[in-house]
Amino acid sequence: MGHPVGRESRQAGQPELPPGQRLQRGWPVTHYGPVPKFRPERWEFAVFGATKSGDKSRWTHPEFTALPYTTVEADLHCVTKFSMLGAEWGGVAATAVLELAPPAAEVSHVMVWAEYGYSANLCLEDFASERTIFATHKDGELLTAEHGFPVRLIVPHLYAWKGPKWVRGIEYMTADRRGFWEERGYHNLGDPWREQRYSYQEEPGDGPEL
Ligand SMILES: Nc1nc2c(c(=O)[nH]1)N[C@H]1C(S)=C(S)[C@@H](COP(=O)(O)O)O[C@H]1N2
Ligand SMILES: [Mo]
């Protein structure tokens, strides 16, 4: 409890930065569109699509923030080539969400949905990584509005666009479907260590037809 999960995604002897990335001092704000206003009375976190029970699960803001709190130490790699190293993210592990609202057996992918329809697709294995976290905090402090308050996803082993800020829920899917940036020229898988930046680099089988 409260102990950061190690950096399995960065192997011993591996350089600090994935290929083509440079270190960024401070923490820039990067996103498409405006910063949404948080309306606690309307906010809910929903789990829908191919759930095991067939039902949708919803958590209000107080309910979501009462879920088990854990921390993960992870870097942030933006596909535009800057990286921020060594943040401690606090929040709700994706594995906890999977346990509380499990997917049906046929589920292979997850769409993570955010305010204004921003989305990112992940294969179930990436989503279910023990280091994937719905972060409410960074370095012990609540996230600010521009960094995704109240909840943002962090997927430590993928490019940062795979981690929506202002998350509102997840959709369990029985086939892959592209999210917001994956439809607009970014790679379907987005592994920074393999420099999977753009969709033109995709190999057959990496993603649905464009
Ligand atoms: N909702 C939403 N989340 C988003 C984005 C976005 O445009 N909208 N951009 C992503 C990208 S490309 C990056 S690099 C990170 C940046 O997070 P930061 O602004 O906290 O540094 O947020 C990701 N999450
Ligand atoms: Mo990014």
Side-chain angles (χ1 to χ4, degrees):
M1 278 295 287
H3 181 76
V5 181
R7 298 168 173 274
E8 295 90 273
S9 67
R10 199 156 78 206
Q11 306 297 319
Q14 208 174 22
E16 289 267 302
L17 290 173
Q21 295 294 112
R22 59 189 138 67
L23 187 61
Q24 173 79 41
R25 306 221 169 266
W27 189 14
V29 172
T30 315
H31 57 262
Y32 178 81
V35 174
K37 187 168 162 46
F38 175 55
R39 292 188 175 83
E41 67 294 348
R42 283 200 221 159
W43 192 93
E44 63 170 24
F45 185 101
V47 182
F48 58 101
T51 58
K52 188 174 181 182
S53 65
D55 297 331
K56 181 171 174 175
S57 294
R58 310 154 189 270
W59 290 290
T60 62
H61 188 245
E63 287 167 346
F64 189 83
T65 54
L67 296 178
Y69 184 89
T70 138
T71 59
V72 172
E73 200 183 325
D75 307 333
L76 200 111
H77 307 296
C78 177
V79 70
T80 64
K81 301 198 169 176
F82 70 82
S83 291
M84 180 189 68
L85 298 183
E88 187 202 78
W89 305 96
V92 180
T95 52
V97 171
L98 285 165
E99 263 173 49
L100 292 164
E106 316 82 72
V107 168
S108 58
H109 292 81
V110 175
M111 190 72 81
V112 183
W113 288 100
E115 301 283 356
Y116 300 136
Y118 184 90
S119 60
N121 59 315
L122 298 165
C123 68
L124 183 59
E125 196 190 342
D126 284 332
F127 180 76
S129 159
E130 63 164 355
R131 304 184 69 229
T132 299
I133 183 168
F134 289 97
T136 53
H137 291 70
K138 178 186 165 278
D139 297 325
E141 295 193 4
L142 266 187
L143 291 174
T144 57
E146 57 275 20
H147 286 300
F149 178 84
V151 180
R152 76 176 297 164
L153 188 69
I154 296 292
V155 189
H157 63 290
L158 299 179
Y159 282 117
W161 89 76
K162 290 287 192 182
K165 304 194 275 192
W166 315 296
V167 177
R168 290 292 302 273
I170 62 168
E171 176 186 355
Y172 291 139
M173 306 194 294
T174 55
D176 200 3
R177 216 166 74 218
R178 289 175 188 271
F180 183 86
W181 286 122
E182 295 82 2
E183 268 184 342
R184 290 169 176 78
Y186 287 100
H187 198 286
N188 192 57
L189 302 176
D191 178 348
W193 299 98
R194 300 172 67 186
E195 247 193 302
Q196 294 174 327
R197 295 179 192 273
Y198 309 112
S199 51
Y200 66 74
Q201 300 171 299
E202 288 175 16
E203 310 266 355
D206 282 352
E209 294 276 305
L210 265 166

